[in-house]
Amino acid sequence: MKSHIQSLLEQTVATLKQQGVIPADAAPRIQVDRTKDKSHGDLATNLAMMLTKAAGKPPRVLAQLIIDHLPASEHVAKVEIAGPGFINFFIDDNALAKQLQQALKDPTLGVTRPAAQTIVVDYSSPNLAKEMHVGHLRSTIIGDAVVRALEFLGHKVIRQNHVGDWGTQFGMLLAYMEELRAAQGDENSIELSDLESFYRAAKIRFDESEDFATRARHLVVELQSGDEYCNKLWREFNEISLTHCHNVYKRLGVSLTRADVRGESAYNDDLPQVVNDLDAQGLLSESNGAKVVFQQEFHNKDGEPLPVIIQKADGGYLYATTDLAAMRYRSSALKADRVLYFVDLRQALHFQQVFSLARSAGFVRPEMSLEHMGFGTMNGEDGRPFKTRTGGVVKLVDLLDEAHDRALELVRSKNPDMDDATLEQIAAVVGVASVKYADLSKNRASDYIFSFDQMLSFEGNTAPYLLYAYTRVAGIFKKADDIDLSGASMQLEHDKEKALGNKLAQFGEVLARMVDKGQPHLLCGYLYELAGAFSSFYEACPVLAADNDSQRNSRLLLAKLTARTLKQGLALLGIETLERM
Ligand code: ARG
């Protein structure tokens, strides 16, 4: 509906330009917003105020001219001028009902698809040296929700799991792998099932033994020079680590596959070229033997310039070098229109620096947009970064186990007579959904407090609340299974029907904003409001006990579209629905 009003206004602006009311070169950004107060209609625009200067007319006069030239539309029941010159649109209920009925027939629920773009989404991207921990949760699930919504809107999405599979830590890990094998005397018996302890043990060896450390450093050099033995060890290690990651993805219901992995090492061959190209453009400086780039706009608190380090004095490359190569690849080989990076906000400066450098070096097409979708920290209930009781990092697997156990307890308490197998099934969905939803429902840019009690509550904007709301809507159809709705028509008469209908019609607008801003909490908030609108409707408007068949069928259509929108919305968040819980 928003885009419909927008296009009516675009046509009006064109007409007013032809008539010379607005100068031909005026290019106003036409903004249409949902109103907060229904007495101001459903949608409003400040267009007249935006154009008042260019047109040399008072805003209210201009607003009237806009209204006079607005093309007729069955969707608009009434248009009014308000306040200093806002234009308020009242949506026609019959046209809305027709539109919703149309949406029911459409596999994408009547959502208008924008012009399709190619969008690279860099998300999850853990370091393979260690096991996935809670620090990777946010990137993985926020990124995945945005990916799903982008695909639903018809974009071509290229997932890039930019895993950290290269760098000095690998020397240490390979040296330790070698040592264990020698001790066990068996090539294949290496135990890497617990990567976290493996990493810790390797680090201890590295710190305690000079010989070990020397061997580790030597292995890095060998690895980098392409030595076959080292590369084989390295591939084996990464294989095991990636298998861990994909087990976690599977459990979390995350859509990343092995084909989406393009780690740091994939750019190795291009790194010398990155250095050459920067050099050829005169961008490189030397600092203590290292090759660096100084960019004017970056300096620290004391005004000293902050360089991007491209190559260390010992010849090693850095995180930034790889990111430059990755951007070039995403621009020229993948032909991305947008590249979205779901990475911790603490890396904000890194991204500002490499984005700006990639642009000045001409590594990316000027029209390609680079967007760091940064996120805050997941804190424990004490407000400090989430840790185990003993202060260690929390492994994702352990977190999901605990969520599952708590969900099982919760579902059992609600359904004391349910059999174990069913309880297990429901708990598996509720546990994962709660962890994901708690994260997705927060503005990603802020820190949030991870609380099992809060995320497993049936009250408020939580997964259990929404999953339960869905079972209630879907439950209506268990009792109405045999009612033929093929000839039914939707009528919006009661206020609560209108309010629900209005909410349903906003699904597409919400998705558009969610993918534009990379903010899944906008979709969560919408689904929560939709569930609330349904609840109010259901309380005020009997469905199966309606006054007559046509009213009952109309309400069933509303319920059906609500069920489908909730289910689809949750699916876009990567959350499965249940038929009962
Ligand atoms: N591996 C990095 C980390 O764990 C995240 C990589 C994000 N993506 C990127 N292109 N830099 O912090």
Side-chain angles (χ1 to χ4, degrees), residues 505-538:
Q506 291 170 35
F507 187 47
E509 294 163 23
V510 171
L511 291 182
R513 282 185 57 217
M514 163 187 173
V515 301
D516 181 40
K517 302 195 181 318
Q519 286 278 27
H521 81 283
L522 297 172
L523 176 57
C524 296
Y526 168 77
L527 294 176
Y528 180 58
E529 285 168 18
L530 177 61
F534 181 81
S535 232
S536 311
F537 151 80
Y538 201 45

Side-chain angles (χ1 to χ4, degrees), residues 490-510:
M490 195 190 287
Q491 244 76 50
L492 300 172
E493 280 154 1
H494 196 286
D495 273 356
K496 302 290 182 193
E497 292 177 325
K498 290 179 191 172
L500 176 58
N502 251 303
K503 263 284 155 243
L504 285 167
Q506 291 170 35
F507 187 47
E509 294 163 23
V510 171

